[in-house]
Amino acid sequence: LSDEGVIFISIDDNEQAQLKLLCDEVFGEENYVGHFIWVRKKKGSFLNKKIRKMTEYVLCYTSNERIKFFGEDAYSNKMQPIVKRTNSLKMLKFSKYTIKTKLKDGEYKKGKYTSGNTGVEFLNDFIVKDSIVISELLVNGRFVWTQDFLDNELNQGTFVELSSKFGFNVLRHNQDEKFKTPSSLINSDNGVGTNEDASDELSKLLNLELEDVFNYSKPTSLIKYLISFIKKEFINAT
C-alpha cells in the first residue's frame, strides 16, 4: 500500500479467517482497520440445513493512521445529551446566564428532579427568568464532559439547554462540521444492493440472461459506498 492507500477485500466466511492471517502478514496487523459485514441477500438460501447465509465480509487495511473514514454527516442542528449512564459521577458548574431552558420561569429548589442513571442532582437553588437560568448552577450527574472541556466549549459558542425534563443537551459550536464514521454493517439502509442486484446490473450491461452471468458479482452500489468513505480532505487530516 502507498502511504495514502486503503484496500477493501470481499470474502465469504469459508476463507475469511485465512485471509485475515494472510493480510496481517502482507500489510501488517497494526494496519488492520476492521471488517465490514455486507448483507448480500434479501432472503438467504434455504439449501443449507444448518444456517441461512445472508452476509459476506469486507476486510479493510490502511497504512495511514491519519486517514479518516466518512460515514454520514452528523446532525448539524440536533441537540445532543451530555449525560450518559455509563459515565462516572462528577460535578459541573455552570455560570449565570449560560443555560437556556424550556422550564417555566420561577425558583427551583435543590435536589433530584429525575431518577435513574441519567438523572441529575441540583446542588443549589436556581432561578429561571425569560427562559434563562440566571443563577450559577452546580450539578451532579454522569456527565460526558469535564469542567475544563465545558468551559472551553462555552467560550467557543457552544449552546447549552436544560430541557423541561431536567436533562442537559448541547448544540456544539462546530457541530455542522462533524460526521459519523461508517457502521460495520452494510445493507440497504446505506443504499447498498445485494448479489441479486449485481446480477441484474450485469445482465443488462452484457445483454445476457441471469443464469449466464458469473457468480458472486458485487453491485456497483457497494463499490461506490466503500469509495465514499475516503474524502480528499481527510487524507492528510491531523
Side-chain angles (χ1 to χ4, degrees):
L1 284 177
S2 72
D3 290 340
E4 297 181 353
V6 177
I7 187 168
F8 298 97
I9 309 172
S10 176
I11 193 76
D12 69 8
D13 57 351
N14 289 317
E15 297 292 340
Q16 184 268 336
Q18 289 83 348
L19 177 64
K20 171 66 166 59
L21 294 174
L22 178 62
C23 288
D24 284 347
E25 184 176 342
V26 173
F27 301 115
E29 186 176 359
E30 69 279 4
N31 294 322
Y32 175 62
V33 174
H35 68 264
F36 297 92
I37 301 172
W38 168 51
V39 179
R40 67 183 181 92
K41 282 186 172 291
K42 296 175 182 177
K43 296 183 179 180
S45 173
F46 294 91
L47 298 178
N48 191 309
K49 301 302 181 183
K50 294 183 176 65
I51 185 170
R52 188 154 46 98
K53 295 185 177 182
M54 301 284 293
T55 59
E56 287 187 5
Y57 301 96
V58 180
L59 273 65
C60 178
Y61 286 80
T62 180
S63 58
N64 191 336
E65 293 182 355
R66 295 177 298 173
I67 292 179
K68 301 176 183 179
F69 280 14
F70 175 88
E72 60 182 293
D73 290 319
Y75 299 112
S76 61
N77 58 357
K78 183 177 180 180
M79 305 291 286
Q80 303 294 322
I82 56 171
V83 176
K84 293 186 178 179
R85 60 173 57 92
T86 54
N87 284 79
S88 59
L89 282 169
K90 60 175 69 75
M91 188 197 78
L92 289 184
K93 180 174 71 173
F94 298 85
S95 301
K96 300 177 180 179
Y97 303 101
T98 57
I99 302 175
K100 293 189 176 182
T101 182
K102 295 181 179 179
L103 293 172
K104 295 180 180 179
D105 286 2
E107 183 176 355
Y108 293 81
K109 297 296 183 180
K110 66 180 181 180
K112 291 185 177 181
Y113 288 82
T114 54
S115 59
N117 290 332
T118 56
V120 296
E121 180 182 8
F122 298 95
L123 303 180
N124 63 296
D125 301 343
F126 63 96
I127 297 172
V128 173
K129 183 178 180 181
D130 298 328
S131 299
I132 301 289
V133 178
I134 65 172
S135 314
E136 180 180 83
L137 193 54
L138 304 177
V139 188
N140 254 347
R142 297 185 182 276
F143 288 104
V144 176
W145 293 355
T146 63
Q147 186 68 54
D148 288 342
F149 193 92
L150 170 67
D151 294 341
N152 182 61
E153 285 290 315
L154 291 174
N155 288 335
Q156 295 188 74
T158 290
F159 172 81
V160 181
E161 179 187 83
L162 178 60
S163 74
S164 58
K165 295 182 179 179
F166 300 95
F168 282 87
N169 302 296
V170 298
L171 186 66
R172 298 186 66 180
H173 65 94
N174 60 348
Q175 194 157 310
D176 58 345
E177 302 171 8
K178 295 189 175 296
F179 62 92
K180 297 179 182 179
T181 53
S183 167
S184 60
L185 181 65
I186 301 175
N187 58 19
S188 58
D189 292 342
N190 312 116
V192 175
T194 62
N195 277 146
E196 295 98 320
D197 296 317
S199 294
D200 286 340
E201 286 185 83
L202 280 174
S203 176
K204 294 174 182 177
L205 179 66
L206 303 176
N207 195 28
L208 293 172
E209 296 298 324
L210 281 177
E211 58 267 23
D212 296 326
V213 178
F214 61 83
N215 295 327
Y216 315 119
S217 51
K218 304 298 183 289
T220 54
S221 56
L222 174 62
I223 310 302
K224 288 179 180 179
Y225 182 65
L226 295 174
I227 292 173
S228 73
F229 291 175
I230 310 301
K231 291 184 176 293
K232 185 177 179 180
E233 59 267 32
F234 295 160
I235 292 294
N236 295 312
T238 57

